[in-house]
Amino acid sequence: EEWPVDETKRGRDLGAYLRQRVAQAFREGENTQVAEPEACDQMYESLARLHSNYYKHKYPRPRDTSFSGLSLEEYKLILSTDTLEELKEIDKGMWKKLQEKFAPKGPEEDHKA
Amino acid sequence: MALLVRVLRNQTSISQWVPVCSRLIPVSPTQGQGDRALSRTSQWPQMSQSRACGGSEQIPGIDIQLNRKYHTTRKLSTTKDSPQPVEEKVGAFTKIIEAMGFTGPLKYSKWKIKIAALRMYTSCVEKTDFEEFFLRCQMPDTFNSWFLITLLHVWMCLVRMKQEGRSGKYMCRIIVHFMWEDVQQRGRVMGVNPYILKKNMILMTNHFYAAILGYDEGILSDDHGLAAALWRTFFNRKCEDPRHLELLVEYVRKQIQYLDSMNGEDLLLTGEVSWRPLVEKNPQSILKPHSPTYNDEGL
């Protein structure tokens, strides 16, 4: 499966789960007897459509907005497993440290742009 | 004053709603053990709560804190994204008021927005076909399932109203406030022990924040990201059939687009929201597809 693994969400990633499921379902490799071939094909087609971004293209939005208003990179940072583990240990000053994480990104962003 | 009476009357009607689910499965064992993301975000609301007012003002306080933090961050993102629509110009006094977490003067009456917010939240819980979700997504008929479905729809409303400037932000806070009032009331109606209800409310609050961020990342990502977010949050990582996941991804994509197509002023003043069916024959996009502007350098 070509589904990419999101390394920032170790332990909670759908991609990793899918690989595990496929490996388990086809334990015997090419010789595996598929119990329900039709359902298997439908599942494969579902995954293929999701992988090819079918619905993102089908339902385009005039403006890509969200509720909390962060950028995509910031979401990945906040929601990554490592960050969540660090947050778990922080009792006070949590938001300050989060903002400190964002601050060094400034020059990096400027460099990219 | 008459508007205030109407608001109070509407709020009273909340208590008359009948809970959708037939029984309550304790949220604690499922969330505490299964969902790692939930436990790892547990510090955020607690931090907010410690700063908020005590007693009955707790929930609005959380919203104020949340709004302040995100407002600060939003400034940064606004600076980066040049295509952002120009925000309305506000005076220095209003900026100071908003920095302190209060809401300055809006272009519409706050009471009108509150009524519209209540109506919008009502759309999330009354116009949604929960039975269809339980059936199609293989979800158990529980209070938690009701909460997850309601949460998804509330999030979609929040995304839409956030596009309406400061009035939209204010409306978002009111919608969230009504949601928690409703959750608490439904818990009481089901006869849940007050102590257990309070503990579960904290867990649900944590789940709420985690879900909002996850869905936000998902809607900005491609279908990979949205599918992963729904799988983690909505299905609690227990979805084994990719067809269910695909169904939800399409539902969210078409619903968000449908909401985007609604007139912003109408939404601010009436709060009337309708939902496209979960299962729809040959669902069509409202807009013609154009070249995607999504930058997938991160992948």
Side-chain angles (χ1 to χ4, degrees), chain B residues 147-159:
Chain B
F147 179 71
L148 288 172
I149 297 168
T150 300
L151 170 59
L152 180 68
H153 290 83
V154 165
W155 167 74
M156 289 194 275
C157 289
L158 298 181
V159 170

Side-chain angles (χ1 to χ4, degrees), chain A residues 2-4 6 8-15 17-18 21 36 38-39 42-47 49-76 78-79 81 83-85 87-96 98-99 102 105 109 112, chain B residues 36-37 39-41 43-44 47-48 51 66 69-70 72-74 76-77 80 85 155 158-160 162-164 172 210 212-214 216-217 219-224 227-228 231-232 237 239-243 245-246 249-250 253-254 256-257 260 276 282-285 287-290 292-295 298-299:
Chain A
E2 308 157 12
W3 196 286
D6 190 346
T8 63
K9 296 181 175 59
R10 205 171 46 253
R12 298 173 292 129
D13 182 44
L14 174 61
Y17 169 77
L18 288 175
R21 283 289 313 280
E36 301 175 18
E38 185 172 333
Q42 288 181 5
M43 292 183 186
Y44 176 80
E45 286 168 9
S46 293
L47 289 173
R49 277 192 287 269
L50 291 174
H51 179 58
S52 65
N53 235 4
Y54 177 78
Y55 296 109
K56 174 103 176 183
H57 293 343
K58 183 176 183 182
Y59 300 103
R61 300 179 65 198
R63 286 182 288 164
D64 253 347
T65 66
S66 64
F67 170 61
S68 42
L70 303 177
S71 71
L72 192 56
E73 291 75 23
E74 285 161 341
Y75 284 122
K76 287 183 182 295
I78 290 180
L79 293 171
T81 303
T83 301
L84 294 180
E85 282 176 353
L87 288 177
K88 198 176 179 181
E89 299 172 359
I90 298 174
D91 203 315
K92 291 185 176 180
M94 169 183 62
W95 284 109
K96 290 183 178 178
L98 252 187
Q99 286 169 1
F102 287 123
K105 262 193 163 185
E109 294 284 341
K112 286 185 178 179
Chain B
R36 298 174 62 188
S39 60
R40 285 169 178 169
T41 57
Q43 299 301 323
W44 294 6
M47 169 59 66
S48 301
R51 296 176 180 174
L66 179 65
K69 295 302 176 183
Y70 287 136
T72 304
T73 312
R74 196 171 188 279
L76 297 177
S77 60
K80 298 174 185 175
W155 167 74
L158 298 181
V159 170
R160 176 67 184 89
K162 198 60 187 297
Q163 299 174 9
E164 299 304 320
C172 290
I212 292 290
L213 286 177
D216 276 347
E217 183 193 11
I219 199 62
L220 293 181
S221 307
D222 53 10
D223 286 344
H224 287 124
W231 177 73
R232 274 196 308 273
R237 288 178 291 166
C239 174
E240 297 194 347
D241 192 335
R243 291 170 293 184
L245 196 53
E246 181 192 23
V249 168
E250 176 167 26
R253 291 285 186 204
K254 75 182 182 186
I256 289 285
Q257 186 200 52
D260 282 349
R276 297 177 65 176
N282 289 326
Q284 293 302 319
S285 168
L287 305 176
K288 294 182 178 179
H290 52 72
T293 57
Y294 174 68
N295 182 356
L299 295 178

